[in-house]
Amino acid sequence: MRRRDLLAGTAAILASGGPAAAGVAVLTGEQAHAAMLRRLGIGALRPGVDGMNPGAANPVNYDEARAGPFSLLPDPLALPDGTPVRDAKTWWDVRRPQILEAFAREIHGRVPRGLPAPAWRTVKEERVSWGGRTVVERRLAGDVTRHGRSVAIDLLVGAPEGAAKAPVVIELGFPDGPPWLRGRTPPLGPDWRDAVIARGWGYAIYAPTSVQPDDPGKLQDGIIGLANRGRPRDPEDWGALRAWAWGVSRVLDLLEADPAVDARRAAVAGMSRYGKAALLAMAYEPRLAAGYIASSGEGGAKLHRRRRGEQVENLAAVGEHHWMAGNFLRYAGPLTADDLPVDAHSLIALVAPRPLFIGTGADATDGWVDARGMFMAAAAASPVYELLGAGGLDRAAFPPPLTLTAGDHLVFRQHAEGHTPAPNWPYFLEFAARAFRRAA
Ligand code: GCU
C-alpha cells in the first residue's frame, strides 16, 4: 500500500519541489487524506455538515431537539471495568493517564520523542506603548533544527518596563496582528494587551503556524515533518492541534528563563482553532496556570457527541483533518462520535483543578461552535474538579447569554457579539487575576 501511495504522489513532488525526504512524495491535502484512509482500510467517510447552505443535502443542525447527546458520555471518574474513581491519587496515577492515552491514540496523536529544544534568538527589541505604559517588547525566533530541517517558532513577548516576575498571558495568535485586520482600522476599544499591561502583567503572542502550517498539504513540513523526516504521517502521529500546543510548552520554557515574568503564573488564550489548541495546551502542559478558551467548538470544548453545529465529520474531512491524528478519521466512518472512548468533557477534566474559562459567542451569532455543547462538557467535567478539591461549574442548567457563571476554577460565559474572543477578555482577566493571586 505504501508503494502505491508513493507512486501516486510522485507527480505532486515534482510539482511542489517540497522538502520531503529523498524518494518520498510530497502529498497534497487531498492525497494525504486519501493515503491515511487507505492506511486505515477505510473506503469513504461520511461528509461533514454544511454550515453555509441550508438547502444542502446535509445541512448543519441547530434544532436543540435533535442535538443530543444520544449516548452516555464516557465517565471520567470510572475505570474501564466500571470501578469508580473516588480519590485524587487514583485520578492522578491511574485514570488521568488512561484518558491521556486515549486522546493521544485516537484523537490528537503522539508527540514524537526526543525533539530538540528550540535555540532562541532575539530578532528585534523595541519600546512600545500599551495600557498607558512603556513596554519592552521583543520579537524572538526559536530555531528547532534536525536532519537538515528547521522550524522557527515566531514569538512576541512584552512586559512593562522594569517588570520583575509579572504574571503573563500567552496568546496563540498573530505577532503581526490578525491578517484579516491588516491595512484596516483596528476595532474600537482597548486591545487585550492594554488590559494586561495596565495590570502590570506581560504578554506573549505565539504564532502556531510557525510550528506547523495550517494546511493539510503541508503535513510533511513544519515540526511534524521535521520529526519524521518529511514522511507522510502514521495513524498515531500528532496532528497540528497537538503540535501547536507543543509550541506553547516551548514558549513556557523560554518564559521560565525570563526574569521579567513569572512563568508559574502564566495563562494561555486562544480563539476558535487556536482555542482548540489552547485547550490542548492546558490539558497537556501542567505548568500553565489558567486558560481562556474562546469559541473553540468541535475539537475543542464542544462535545463530539452533540449533533449540533460542527461535527466530527467536518474535522475528519480533508480541510481540517491535519488538525487531528489520522486515527481520528475512523470516527467519521465506520465508527461514529458515539464510539469515542473520551469526549470534550474528558479533555476539560485533564485540565482540572486548574482555572479554565470557557467563553463563546451565543447561538444567534456563533452557532457553529455550539455553546450549549461546550457548557455540557464543562458540566460533565465538574465532578473531576470537585474530586480534586476545586469548584466545578456552579450550575447544571444552561445559562442565558451575558451570564458569567460563578467560581474560581471552571466558568462559562456567552457574549452576544459573534465569533470573537473580545467581549469575554475583561471577564477572563478578572478570573485570571484571582488565580494569579492564589498562586503568588
Ligand atoms: C472553521 C472550522 C472551525 C474553526 C474555525 C476557525 O469554522 O470549522 O472548527 O474553529 O474555522 O478557526 O475560525
Side-chain angles (χ1 to χ4, degrees):
M1 195 189 281
R2 284 206 117 168
R3 198 177 144 69
R4 220 178 52 222
D5 296 347
L6 217 124
L7 294 175
T10 312
I13 197 175
L14 292 175
S16 79
V24 177
V26 175
L27 307 182
T28 64
E30 296 274 354
Q31 289 168 337
H33 190 253
M36 184 57 74
L37 292 184
R38 283 196 297 275
R39 282 288 298 274
L40 297 168
I42 297 175
L45 298 181
R46 295 181 300 277
V49 295
D50 189 326
M52 298 298 185
N53 169 17
N58 197 18
V60 59
N61 174 50
Y62 291 127
D63 173 5
E64 188 53 33
R66 292 192 287 124
F70 299 112
S71 65
L72 280 181
L73 299 182
D75 186 349
L77 290 181
L79 301 182
D81 68 0
T83 312
V85 174
R86 292 216 175 83
D87 58 278
K89 182 166 168 37
T90 309
W91 168 257
W92 291 114
D93 293 352
V94 183
R95 185 57 182 144
R96 190 174 186 277
Q98 289 172 348
I99 294 175
L100 277 173
E101 167 60 19
F103 274 107
R105 190 182 62 239
E106 304 294 317
I107 302 185
H108 303 139
R110 299 183 194 281
V111 177
R113 284 174 211 275
L115 282 172
W120 291 96
R121 58 191 155 87
T122 301
V123 177
K124 185 177 174 185
E125 177 167 328
E126 57 183 341
R127 280 174 171 58
V128 296
S129 174
W130 288 107
R133 297 178 68 160
T134 302
V135 173
V136 180
E137 191 180 77
R138 282 183 304 151
R139 186 71 169 262
L140 295 133
D143 296 312
V144 184
T145 309
R146 193 155 98 181
H147 308 313
R149 295 164 188 275
S150 68
V151 156
I153 306 177
D154 183 11
L155 179 68
L156 188 70
V157 180
E161 191 165 42
K165 290 257 160 245
V168 57
V169 179
I170 305 168
E171 188 203 34
L172 287 81
F174 307 92
D176 292 312
W180 57 91
L181 288 181
R182 238 163 258 159
R184 297 207 208 161
T185 318
L188 287 178
D191 187 278
W192 65 271
R193 271 179 288 183
D194 289 310
V196 161
I197 294 293
R199 285 177 182 270
W201 303 354
Y203 59 80
I205 303 182
Y206 146 64
T209 50
S210 63
V211 167
Q212 185 61 39
D214 189 6
D215 183 341
K218 297 222 161 83
L219 278 167
Q220 291 159 271
D221 293 355
I223 196 75
I224 297 176
L226 178 145
N228 74 0
R229 302 189 186 221
R231 283 189 283 265
R233 289 189 304 166
D234 288 331
E236 291 190 14
D237 283 350
W238 52 345
L241 292 181
R242 187 69 190 86
W244 293 343
W246 172 87
V248 175
S249 295
R250 304 294 68 79
V251 169
L252 203 53
D253 297 341
L254 172 86
L255 296 177
E256 281 185 336
D258 182 342
V261 298
D262 179 5
R264 288 180 314 108
R265 290 182 293 160
V268 67
M271 156 76 190
S272 209
R273 68 197 63 190
Y274 291 169
K276 309 180 207 297
L279 181 54
L280 268 71
M282 280 301 286
Y284 290 105
E285 178 50 80
R287 291 174 295 168
L288 289 168
Y292 173 27
I293 311 304
S295 294
S296 60
E298 176 60 27
K302 165 189 176 282
L303 291 173
H304 296 290
R305 282 168 169 76
R306 290 269 296 172
R307 303 288 191 270
R308 178 171 185 153
E310 189 174 13
Q311 297 295 297
V312 162
E313 287 78 6
N314 296 82
L315 279 185
V318 175
E320 295 180 4
H321 88 282
H322 61 291
W323 295 347
M324 315 303 292
N327 263 343
F328 183 76
L329 307 193
R330 291 152 48 235
Y331 295 94
L335 303 175
T336 74
D338 294 316
D339 297 308
L340 282 162
V342 285
D343 208 315
H345 67 307
S346 326
L347 189 58
I348 296 170
L350 291 176
V351 179
R354 287 166 297 141
L356 194 68
F357 186 113
I358 298 180
T360 181
D363 278 336
T365 52
D366 201 11
W368 187 238
V369 304
D370 183 20
R372 191 189 289 258
M374 295 192 277
F375 175 83
M376 287 174 153
S382 292
V384 179
Y385 271 80
E386 282 149 21
L387 178 78
L388 301 177
L393 275 189
D394 72 347
R395 70 195 72 196
F398 186 49
L402 309 184
T403 309
L404 174 64
T405 67
D408 279 337
H409 295 93
L410 184 59
V411 297
F412 177 86
R413 185 176 187 274
Q414 305 172 76
H415 62 72
E417 290 167 55
H419 195 55
T420 163
N424 275 334
W425 264 111
Y427 298 90
F428 168 67
L429 292 177
E430 216 20 69
F431 175 75
R434 295 201 301 274
F436 291 156
R437 274 198 292 276
R438 292 194 305 271

